[in-house]
C-alpha cells in the first residue's frame, strides 16, 4: 500500500503518474489519497455563474518549455483538449501587459521594435541594458537575489520596473529576497561562466542543444505551432482537478476527504504509519507528500527534528484575492492582461488581472485584485477583515482605472500561506531535504510547489519526476 498526502494538484498528479507508470497494477499496490479538506484541488478554485467566473487561485497556464508541454500532454490524455481556451500572440491579453508607476499605467514593450524605443517609465531604450551587461565586470557568487543580479547586469530601472513587479505577479514576493535561480538560473550561469549574460548567450547559440526530449501530444504540438502565449480552461480552471479526481476514482484510488494527517511515524525503510486526526492509523510502504513543506514539518517533527527544521525554513506568504464583477454592456477597461505595481510605489495592491479580457465566458467587466504577499502583515496587520480588503481594492480600482461603478458581485478570500518563496539558498535547502530522506532510508517522496517550482506546470512535473525516480529505484 502507498499513500499520497494532500489532494491539491501535486497530489492528484502523483496519482495520475503512479497509474500511468503502472506502479499500482504491476505491484498489486493499493493506493490511498488523504486530503484534509472536503475538496480536491488545493488552491485551484473557481466560482462559476452564468455571467462570470471568479478564479480564486491560478487562472492561466503557460504552454512553453518541457514543463508546459508536459501539462498539455496530460490535458489531452484526460480528454480536456476541447475545453482549452488559448490566448494566441495577437490577442490583447498577450500583447498588453502594464505597470503602474508615478500614478500612470505604462505598457511594457512586447516586440523587438519596442526594445529600441524609449518607453516610460524607463529613461532609455531597453537595448541600453545590453551594453551595460557587456561592460559590467563579473562578480563571482554561488547565489544572489534576482533583484541584485538584474540591477548589477542590466541596471536599477530594469530591476525596479520590470523584475520586481514580475516577481510580485508570479509569487507575490520581494525580488530582493528571491534567488536569481528561480527564474534566471541560465542567465546567472552565463554571467558566472562567461563574464556577462550576453557573452554566455552568444556562446550558447552555437552549442548543440541536448535538452530532455518529450513526445508531444496533438494538443502540445498545436500549442507550439500556434505559439500560444498562455491558456486557461473554459468554465474555470477547477475543471482540471475535478477531472483528475474522477480519473483517480475510476482507477480505484481510495480517496479520503476530510482526512487530515497529524503525524508520520517511520518504522523501517518500507513501513510508515500515518496518524489521522480522528485517531485512525494507516500503515503503508511509501508516502508521496504533496502538502506544503511547513505542514509536513509538523508531521515529522517528533522523529526527525532536523528534517522538520529544513522543511520549516521554506517561507510562505499570504495573499488576498478580491474578485469583482461589474454588470455593464460596455467594458470598463481597455483590453489587456492587466497591470502590476512595483513595490517601490508602496501601493496597497500588488496588481490587477483583467479577467474579462483573458478568460472566456465572461459578461460585463471582471477584475481580480491581488493584495499582500510578502507585505501582507506590514500593510494590513494580522486582523484585517474581508470587508476592509474589499474597500481597499475598490478604492484602488477607482483611482487607477477610474471605475466609479459599484460591483454587482464580489468575492474576497484571504489565502493564508499560499505561495512558497524561493529565497536565496532555496535549491540547496531542497537538496538537503532530499539528501536527508535518502541517507536515512525514509520511504517518503516530497512533491509540490514547496520544492521544484511554484506554478501549475512545475507541480505536475515535480510529481512526474518523483514518481519516475521511485520507479527506477
Ligand atoms: C493566488 C494564487 C494564484 C496563482 N496563480 C497561478 C497561475 O496563474 N498560474 C500557475 O501556473 N500557477 C499559479 N499559482 C500556483 C498554483 O496554484 C500552485 O502551484 C498549485 O496549485 C500548488 O499545488 P500543490 O498541490 O503543490 O499545493 P496545494 O494546492 O497547497 O495542495 C496541498 C493540499 O494538501 C492538503 N493538506 C495540507 N495539509 C494536509 C494534511 N496534514 N493532511 C492531508 N492533507 C493536507 C491541502 O488541504 C491541499 O489540498 C497560483 C497560486 C496562488 C495561491
Amino acid at each position: 500500500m502507498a499513500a499520497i498526502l494532500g489532494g491539491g494538484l501535486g497530489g492528484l498528479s502523483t496519482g495520475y503518474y503512479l497509474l500511468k507508470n503502472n506502479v499500482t497494477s504491476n505491484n498489486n499496490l493499493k493506493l490511498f489519497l488523504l486530503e484534509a479538506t472536503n475538496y480536491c484541488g488545493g488552491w485551484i478554485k473557481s466560482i462559476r455563474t452564468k455571467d462570470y467566473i471568479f478564479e480564486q487561485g491560478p487562472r492561466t497556464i503557460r504552454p512553453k518549455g518541457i514543463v508546459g508541454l508536459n501539462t498539455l500532454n496530460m490535458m489531452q490524455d484526460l480528454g480536456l483538449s476541447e475545453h482549452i481556451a488559448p490566448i494566441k500572440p495577437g490577442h490583447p491579453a498577450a500583447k498588453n501587459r502594464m505597470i503602474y508607476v508615478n500614478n500612470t499605467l505604462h505598457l511594457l514593450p512586447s516586440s523587438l521594435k519596442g526594445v529600441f524605443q524609449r518607453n516610460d517609465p524607463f529613461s532609455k531604450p531597453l537595448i541600453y541594458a545590453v551594453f551595460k551587461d557587456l561592460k559590467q565586470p563579473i562578480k563571482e557568487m554561488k547565489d544572489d537575489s534576482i533583484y541584485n543580479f538584474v540591477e548589477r547586469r542590466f541596471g536599477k530601472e530594469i530591476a525596479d520596473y520590470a523584475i520586481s513587479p514580475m516577481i510580485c505577479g508570479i509569487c507575490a514576493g520581494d525580488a530582493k529576497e528571491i534567488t536569481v535561480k528561480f527564474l534566471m538560473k541560465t542567465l546567472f550561469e552565463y554571467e558566472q561562466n562567461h563574464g556577462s549574460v550576453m557573452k554566455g548567450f552568444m556562446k550558447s547559440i552555437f552549442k548543440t542543444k541536448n535538452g530532455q526530449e518529450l513526445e508531444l501530444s496533438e494538443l502540445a504540438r498545436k500549442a507550439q505551432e500556434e505559439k500560444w502565449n498562455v491558456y486557461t480552461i473554459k468554465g474555470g480552471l477547477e475543471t482540471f482537478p475535478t477531472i483528475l479526481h474522477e480519473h483517480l476514482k475510476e482507477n480505484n484510488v481510495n480517496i479520503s476527504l476530510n482526512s487530515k494527517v497529524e503525524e508520520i511515524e517511520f518504522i523501517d525503510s518500507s513501513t510508515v504509519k500515518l496518524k489521522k486526526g480522528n485517531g485512525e492509523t494507516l500503515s503503508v510502504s511509501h508516502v508521496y507528500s504533496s502538502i506544503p513543506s511547513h505542514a509536513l514539518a509538523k508531521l515529522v517533527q517528533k522523529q526527525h527534528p532536523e528534517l522538520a527544521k529544513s522543511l520549516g525554513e521554506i517561507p510562505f506568504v499570504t495573499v488576498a484575492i478580491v474578485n469583482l464583477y461589474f454588470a455593464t454592456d460596455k467594458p470598463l477597461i481597455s483590453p489587456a492582461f492587466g497591470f502590476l505595481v512595483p513595490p517601490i510605489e508602496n501601493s496597497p495592491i500588488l496588481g490587477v488581472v483583467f479577467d474579462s479580457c483573458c478568460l472566456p465566458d465572461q459578461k460585463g467587466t471582471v477584475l481580480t485584485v491581488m493584495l499582500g504577499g510578502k507585505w501582507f502583515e506590514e500593510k494590513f496587520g494580522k486582523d484585517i477583515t474581508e470587508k476592509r480588503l474589499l474597500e481597499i481594492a475598490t478604492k484602488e480600482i477607482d483611482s487607477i482605472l477610474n471605475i466609479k461603478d459599484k460591483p454587482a458581485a464580489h468575492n474576497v478570500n484571504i489565502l493564508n500561506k499560499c505561495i512558497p518563496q524561493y529565497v536565496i539558498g532555496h535549491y540547496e535547502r531542497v537538496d538537503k531535504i532530499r539528501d536527508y530522506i535518502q541517507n536515512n532510508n525514509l520511504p517518503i517522496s516530497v512533491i509540490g510547489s514547496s520544492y521544484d517550482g511554484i506554478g501549475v506546470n512545475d507541480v505536475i512535473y515535480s510529481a512526474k519526476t518523483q514518481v519516475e525516480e521511485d520507479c527506477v529505484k
Side-chain angles (χ1 to χ4, degrees):
M1 290 206 291
I4 300 167
L5 257 191
L9 193 60
L12 294 168
S13 306
T14 305
Y16 170 86
Y17 285 112
L18 285 168
L19 294 171
K20 199 155 188 66
N21 286 280
N22 296 319
V23 176
T24 45
S25 52
N26 285 353
N27 305 318
N28 232 344
L29 191 74
K30 182 104 193 85
L31 190 56
F32 290 84
L33 186 151
L34 306 170
E35 164 53 44
T37 66
N38 63 357
Y39 165 74
C40 271
W43 295 118
I44 307 180
K45 278 191 186 146
S46 320
I47 299 173
R48 308 165 216 197
T49 73
K50 65 176 183 27
D51 295 322
Y52 59 83
I53 293 168
F54 284 164
E55 291 289 8
Q56 300 179 67
R59 66 207 58 238
T60 51
I61 305 177
R62 283 176 60 79
K64 299 200 179 96
I66 192 158
V67 292
L69 295 166
N70 176 63
T71 303
L72 287 163
N73 282 356
M74 186 191 206
M75 296 259 184
Q76 168 150 345
D77 194 34
L78 291 167
L80 277 165
S81 300
E82 284 163 32
H83 300 271
I84 303 276
I87 294 177
K88 297 184 189 168
H91 193 281
K95 288 191 298 184
N96 302 339
R97 289 176 185 251
M98 297 179 283
I99 51 169
Y100 185 67
V101 174
N102 297 331
N103 302 320
T104 314
L105 285 172
H106 302 278
L107 261 184
L108 288 170
S110 63
S111 66
L112 190 61
K113 200 174 131 206
V115 174
F116 291 91
Q117 293 163 341
R118 195 189 73 77
N119 304 283
D120 280 333
F122 300 97
S123 58
K124 291 182 197 135
L126 295 185
I127 189 70
Y128 278 84
V130 173
F131 303 137
K132 175 167 168 61
D133 171 58
L134 286 168
K135 280 192 289 187
Q136 196 64 17
I138 176 183
K139 186 170 176 197
E140 278 182 35
M141 310 177 85
K142 283 214 160 63
D143 200 351
D144 199 0
S145 76
I146 192 161
Y147 183 96
N148 276 354
F149 171 74
V150 171
E151 186 188 23
R152 176 168 74 247
R153 301 282 6 142
F154 304 115
K156 185 167 165 24
E157 284 186 352
I158 309 248
D160 279 332
Y161 298 138
I163 298 306
S164 294
M166 188 166 85
I167 291 294
C168 284
I170 296 175
C171 69
D174 185 350
K176 292 182 176 163
E177 294 178 358
I178 302 294
T179 164
V180 60
K181 296 177 192 172
F182 175 53
L183 289 183
M184 297 187 170
K185 185 168 182 277
T186 313
L187 303 193
F188 182 58
E189 284 167 359
Y190 288 163
E191 180 203 42
Q192 295 298 307
N193 299 333
H194 303 284
S196 94
V197 173
M198 282 319 288
K199 280 184 207 154
F201 173 70
M202 294 313 284
K203 285 186 186 158
S204 77
I205 294 177
F206 300 105
K207 267 197 184 156
T208 42
K209 291 207 170 81
N210 55 357
Q212 288 158 288
E213 289 294 324
L214 185 74
E215 207 175 305
L216 297 188
S217 62
E218 205 182 308
L219 185 66
R221 247 180 284 124
K222 192 170 171 206
Q224 266 192 334
E225 279 159 23
E226 295 180 358
K227 297 190 167 56
W228 295 0
N229 186 268
V230 288
Y231 64 95
T232 183
I233 298 184
K234 291 173 201 155
L237 216 57
E238 193 178 305
T239 308
F240 187 21
T242 304
I243 297 284
L244 261 172
H245 184 171
E246 278 166 21
H247 173 77
L248 264 52
K249 255 184 20 197
E250 278 163 16
N251 285 281
N252 302 320
V253 178
N254 189 323
I255 300 179
S256 307
L257 300 177
N258 302 309
S259 294
K260 185 169 183 199
V261 173
E262 305 273 6
E263 196 185 330
I264 299 180
E265 190 187 348
F266 296 98
I267 308 295
D268 56 38
S269 62
S270 58
T271 320
V272 49
K273 275 188 187 171
L274 304 176
K275 296 180 188 171
K276 293 200 252 170
N278 61 5
E280 282 175 19
T281 301
L282 180 69
S283 209
V284 293
S285 57
H286 195 91
V287 179
Y288 296 89
S289 170
S290 76
I291 64 176
S293 48
H294 61 81
L296 180 62
K298 291 193 190 117
L299 309 193
V300 299
Q301 171 66 38
K302 213 161 153 188
Q303 256 187 334
H304 295 281
E306 194 185 326
L307 176 61
K309 185 171 177 289
S310 300
L311 289 164
E313 277 168 0
I314 300 174
F316 280 71
V317 295
T318 296
V319 175
I321 294 289
V322 179
N323 305 106
L324 302 167
Y325 165 65
F326 300 90
T328 51
D329 292 333
K330 267 181 42 197
L332 300 174
I333 41 162
S334 44
F337 189 86
F339 66 87
L340 290 164
V341 189
I344 46 163
E345 293 297 299
N346 202 16
S347 161
I349 68 169
L350 298 170
V352 178
V353 183
F354 296 180
D355 291 314
S356 41
C357 182
C358 315
L359 312 182
D361 314 319
Q362 308 270 41
K363 291 186 185 149
T365 298
V366 185
L367 305 173
T368 301
V369 187
M370 294 169 298
L371 308 94
K374 164 71 191 151
W375 302 270
F376 193 94
E377 256 192 60
E378 181 188 317
K379 297 235 192 265
F380 310 125
K382 283 192 174 136
D383 304 316
I384 182 116
T385 59
E386 292 179 356
K387 185 169 170 269
R388 182 74 195 116
L389 285 163
L390 177 65
E391 282 165 8
I392 296 169
T394 44
K395 185 166 168 256
E396 290 302 307
I397 289 293
D398 175 3
S399 124
I400 300 172
L401 297 170
N402 197 22
I403 296 180
K404 309 276 177 212
D405 300 35
K406 237 178 112 61
H410 70 264
N411 168 65
V412 185
N413 224 331
I414 300 174
L415 311 178
N416 193 33
K417 284 187 163 183
C418 64
I419 308 188
Q421 302 290 289
Y422 288 13
V423 295
I424 297 173
H426 173 82
Y427 295 95
E428 291 72 18
R429 185 173 292 128
V430 172
D431 285 346
K432 194 172 157 197
I433 289 168
R434 291 208 167 108
D435 286 348
Y436 183 97
I437 289 171
Q438 199 180 1
N439 296 340
N440 289 276
N441 275 324
L442 304 181
I444 186 168
S445 309
V446 290
I447 288 162
S449 62
S450 306
Y451 313 100
D452 307 314
I454 66 155
V456 163
N457 291 328
D458 306 307
V459 166
I460 295 171
Y461 205 72
S462 165
K464 181 176 194 276
T465 319
Q466 292 305 309
V467 167
E468 287 173 358
E469 271 181 21
D470 283 341
C471 288
V472 293
K473 268 184 199 161

